[in-house]
Amino acid sequence: MKKRFHSVAVVFVAVAMAFFTVSSLSAQSAADRGFAEERFRRGVQAFYRGAFNDAVLQFEDALTYMPDENRILEWLGKAYYRAGMEDAALQEWNYAARNGYGGQLLQNIIEIVSVRRIFTGDYGEDGRFVESGSFPAVEGNVLHYSQPVAILPNTDGSFWVSAYGSNELIRVNVNGFVVERKKGPLNGFDRPFDLLRLTNGNIVVSEFAGDRLTFVTADGDFIKSFGSKGRGDGQLLGPQYLAQDSNGNIFVTDYGNRRVAVFSEDGDFLFNFGEFKSPTGIAVYADSVYIADSYYGCIYTYDLSGNYEGVFVPDETFENPEAMRLYKDGLLVCDSSKLYSVSIATGAPVLVADTGNGPSHITCAEEDANGNIIAADFKANELYVLARMPELIGGLYVEISRVNADNFPNVDLEVRVENRRRQPVVGLTDINFFITEDKYAVTGQKLTGSADLNDNCDVTVVIDRSTRMKTHEADVQYAVREIAAAMGGKGTMRIVCSGNIPTSEIIANPNELLNFTMKQIKTEYSDVCSTDLAIRLAANDLVNGEHKRAIVFISDGSVTNGAFSNYTLADLSAYLNNNGISFALVSTVQQASSAEISYITENTGGSSYYLYRSEGISSIVKDFLAIPTGIYTLTYTSGMATDFGRSYLPVELEIYLLNRSGRAETGYFAPLE
């Protein structure tokens, strides 16, 4: 009996020890989860503050307690992505996806980010455009317009259309709604034909039956008309297509007189040239004028003075060429139901789109602000939106970049919408957005702003403090003052110096730097400058700045040894792009910039400016403001329970635009109570 009792006792002790061990493990697991959740919450909040490095540290710390928590892996990837480290982001996202997390949405994000890193800008055979939507002139018993001829895109994604049949200009938004109509002068337009935006911002309209040209403002309001019916100087018979050269002169194909007429930007007659059979489309590229003749199906070239240069595209290449528009490195030519891209270098036409065998006569087509081609079909009485096939299949890239729940239950979202090529999508309205929380529709959803309408921006100037720049102090001083003046007192201007150790020197209203002097700079000149660190430092302050933001590098265009030894050019460009920051060079000398600076400039939508070019650099801020962002702000009222600020609250966003869509999911924490 004693032996049996001993055995039972041993078993009891063993079971008890096992129980306490399991209890200890459960307690430790609960503690680990608690530590992980707290660090995850801090990481999410740091991310929305724009402190991406801090967010990375918090998420990595959370993973030490819960190494296989997929949501933390996803957020770590998001923080890496916004910090410009896309390889690291893809690694974390792929790990979570292999665990079965994220579904098709995460797979789509991985695919788009991967493609962007290797995309050359050439879709090859997939670069053909196909119809992604259309806006018919008649719907039911409603006539929206009649006989569209020409297209003129606007920077906000809308576009003007000359409606030949209804004698008006109409402005159509990205959803196909007519949002504005303009009838012209008191006696109205008389068969408006082509539209041309002049360098001064105004628009010129050719009136085919009115035998005149008419100036209207950028908003379509009448200014004045010029030209009259006849065969003499300054007279027209059926003016059609328009173009403008670098001198501001306006060229118009005078169909009835079989020539081209040239007027000044103010409307004064200059000269006529050419003897054509049937002149139609016209375009100016560099110092040459390209003119299509629909009778021969060819394109001729002339110089800006009207002197014949030769045949650019031979006879019978086209069936019935109409409008020609500048497109990438060539011309976009409309030819019956087809669109061709013609290389300036070779004159070789490449088929871009074909609207089919139905009754079709495309008179004009032009790329809009979102990378689509808008085409006017005169015979079918319809407007087409054409997009590349990969864009239609892949959909839109949507990112909820910031959630502000400080006034919970009122929640504000900052959203970025792009296509697969990182090109921002502009012009969206309330009807394009649909917000849900945990798959349930929210209340009070409202689009509160579009950054593309902003008229101010933040600019950080990075001054090159390499020793070779000692002789350019007066140039740098002049450049800073010019940029400050161009900002017009709007936004914030910062100065960062690229020395051995980059330093943030000045943060001020632009007006405070109108009399900037180099004596205000403390950073010493150096033989070695960490340009990459200076760019990162400049970008860090801009992340939480205005939605329109840019870095201006003032230098002679060259860099020192080791200037980019800390970050790769790809990572730097990704950091700027993923946070909507443009990069521009203002060069103090007229020479080509280094390969490194050129790479960053070209890959962030910026430009290079010679400080003493004839037109100056005063347009630099205007150029920044013209760069599309695709950033929108929305607000809604949440119905989620917060658990005193400890619960992770999900939010989803879907965007619909014609036959394309995109989706994003994220989450946030309400303030702690």
Side-chain angles (χ1 to χ4, degrees), residues 61-341:
D61 197 12
L63 285 171
T64 62
Y65 295 100
M66 300 180 66
D68 293 320
E69 180 59 46
N70 292 317
R71 178 173 287 170
I72 301 175
L73 290 171
E74 177 197 11
W75 272 90
L76 178 57
K78 290 168 67 172
Y80 276 136
Y81 175 79
R82 291 293 297 277
M85 293 175 277
E86 293 182 341
D87 280 337
L90 289 169
Q91 180 178 332
E92 303 301 333
W93 287 334
N94 278 309
Y95 186 32
R98 286 194 297 269
N99 292 339
Y101 178 82
Q104 187 58 47
L105 178 59
L106 183 57
Q107 290 288 355
N108 191 50
I109 292 172
I110 292 171
E111 180 199 358
I112 290 177
V113 174
S114 299
V115 167
R116 283 177 172 182
R117 294 180 60 76
I118 60 175
F119 185 67
T120 62
D122 182 11
Y123 278 105
E125 290 299 320
D126 290 334
R128 289 274 295 272
F129 283 77
V130 296
E131 185 179 327
S132 68
S134 64
F135 310 139
V138 180
E139 289 182 304
N141 295 322
V142 179
L143 175 68
H144 298 299
Y145 58 87
S146 177
Q147 295 180 306
V149 175
I151 303 294
L152 183 64
N154 300 311
T155 57
D156 64 357
S158 67
F159 52 92
W160 287 104
V161 179
S162 60
Y164 183 92
S166 50
N167 278 323
E168 61 186 342
L169 304 185
I170 61 172
R171 187 167 67 85
V172 182
N173 71 10
V174 294
N175 296 303
F177 298 126
V178 177
V179 294
E180 203 167 2
R181 297 180 184 273
K182 297 294 181 179
K183 297 293 185 178
L186 288 177
N187 58 343
F189 289 121
D190 194 354
R191 303 305 179 192
F193 204 88
D194 198 15
L195 303 171
L196 171 69
R197 179 172 286 107
L198 303 174
T199 54
N200 62 13
N202 292 330
I203 297 170
V204 60
V205 184
S206 61
E207 298 184 61
F208 185 82
D211 300 313
R212 65 189 180 191
L213 304 182
T214 295
F215 287 142
V216 298
T217 67
D219 295 325
D221 297 322
F222 174 75
I223 299 175
K224 73 172 185 178
S225 296
F226 57 98
S228 60
K229 181 173 183 169
R231 298 189 178 278
D233 290 345
Q235 294 185 315
L236 305 164
L237 289 177
Q240 290 195 343
Y241 294 103
L242 299 155
Q244 186 177 32
D245 67 11
S246 57
N247 299 315
N249 296 331
I250 300 166
F251 293 70
V252 57
T253 50
D254 187 358
Y255 189 82
N257 287 317
R258 299 182 180 183
R259 65 192 182 192
V260 172
V262 184
F263 297 84
S264 73
E265 195 170 30
D266 295 324
D268 299 321
F269 173 75
L270 298 178
F271 59 92
N272 300 310
F273 70 88
E275 295 181 6
F276 305 94
K277 189 75 172 179
S278 179
T280 52
I282 186 169
V284 176
Y285 185 95
D287 295 327
S288 292
V289 183
Y290 298 82
I291 302 160
D293 193 309
S294 61
Y295 182 85
Y296 294 109
C298 65
I299 300 175
Y300 304 111
T301 59
Y302 289 74
D303 67 18
L304 298 182
S305 299
N307 299 307
Y308 179 73
E309 291 183 337
V311 176
F312 178 60
V313 177
D315 292 0
E316 300 182 358
T317 299
F318 303 111
E319 180 182 339
N320 186 19
E322 292 279 356
M324 297 191 298
R325 296 292 196 254
L326 299 182
Y327 179 69
K328 301 189 184 305
D329 59 348
L331 304 174
L332 185 64
V333 181
C334 300
D335 184 28
S336 296
S337 64
K338 296 180 175 61
L339 299 179
Y340 291 93
S341 174

Side-chain angles (χ1 to χ4, degrees), residues 420-467:
R420 293 170 64 86
R421 294 173 293 150
R422 211 191 290 268
Q423 184 174 7
V425 176
V426 302
L428 301 180
T429 65
D430 272 305
I431 67 172
N432 300 111
F433 298 90
F434 182 63
I435 303 174
T436 57
E437 281 187 322
D438 204 14
K439 310 302 186 291
Y440 291 94
V442 301
T443 60
Q445 174 184 321
K446 183 179 180 181
L447 177 65
T448 55
S450 172
D452 289 291
L453 302 179
N454 290 7
D455 63 354
N456 61 318
C457 66
D458 283 355
V459 175
T460 296
V461 172
V462 177
I463 298 176
D464 185 355
R465 294 294 280 178
S466 58
T467 52

Side-chain angles (χ1 to χ4, degrees), residues 3 10 45 100 150 153 169 176 268 303-304 355 391 417 421 473 656 672:
K3 186 174 183 181
V10 169
Q45 291 174 329
L169 304 185
D268 299 321
D303 67 18
L304 298 182
T355 59
E391 296 289 342
V417 187
R421 294 173 293 150
E473 286 202 345
Y656 303 94
L672 288 172

Side-chain angles (χ1 to χ4, degrees), residues 468-654:
R468 67 178 184 281
M469 289 295 293
K470 281 184 177 181
T471 59
H472 294 280
E473 286 202 345
D475 303 324
V476 174
Q477 179 174 287
Y478 173 68
V480 171
R481 292 181 178 184
E482 284 290 290
I483 295 168
M487 292 180 70
K490 297 179 180 179
T492 300
M493 187 169 177
R494 299 172 176 85
I495 294 180
V496 169
C497 284
S498 174
N500 187 29
I501 300 176
T503 307
S504 180
E505 295 265 8
I506 298 173
I507 302 177
N509 180 281
N511 286 343
E512 298 176 38
L513 294 172
L514 294 176
N515 296 313
F516 167 81
T517 69
M518 292 300 289
K519 293 179 180 179
Q520 295 174 251
I521 299 301
K522 303 295 189 294
T523 303
E524 298 292 334
Y525 287 101
S526 174
D527 291 332
V528 177
C529 292
S530 299
T531 307
D532 54 356
L533 295 180
I535 294 173
R536 291 281 304 197
L537 178 61
N540 291 343
D541 286 336
L542 289 172
V543 166
N544 293 317
E546 293 288 342
H547 291 141
K548 297 273 189 174
R549 45 207 181 208
I551 295 173
V552 180
F553 185 48
I554 302 178
S555 169
D556 64 357
S558 56
V559 295
T560 66
N561 292 331
F564 293 91
S565 59
N566 300 285
Y567 291 93
T568 68
L569 295 174
D571 284 346
L572 274 176
S573 298
Y575 184 41
L576 300 183
N577 282 323
N578 295 345
N579 292 285
I581 301 171
S582 300
F583 182 91
L585 168 69
V586 169
S587 181
T588 57
V589 298
Q590 198 166 11
Q591 65 180 24
S593 61
S594 68
E596 296 90 341
I597 297 300
S598 294
Y599 179 94
I600 299 173
T601 303
E602 293 167 4
N603 284 277
T604 59
S607 302
S608 294
Y609 302 81
Y610 171 51
L611 178 59
Y612 297 109
R613 63 180 189 168
S614 57
E615 63 269 42
I617 63 167
S618 60
S619 67
I620 189 169
V621 174
K622 182 180 178 182
D623 293 344
F624 290 145
L625 290 172
I627 297 173
T629 66
I631 296 176
Y632 302 86
T633 53
L634 300 102
T635 187
Y636 69 94
T637 302
S638 175
M640 303 289 288
T642 70
D643 189 22
F644 304 101
R646 293 191 295 268
S647 290
Y648 178 79
L649 308 180
V651 59
E652 306 89 32
L653 174 69
E654 294 187 38

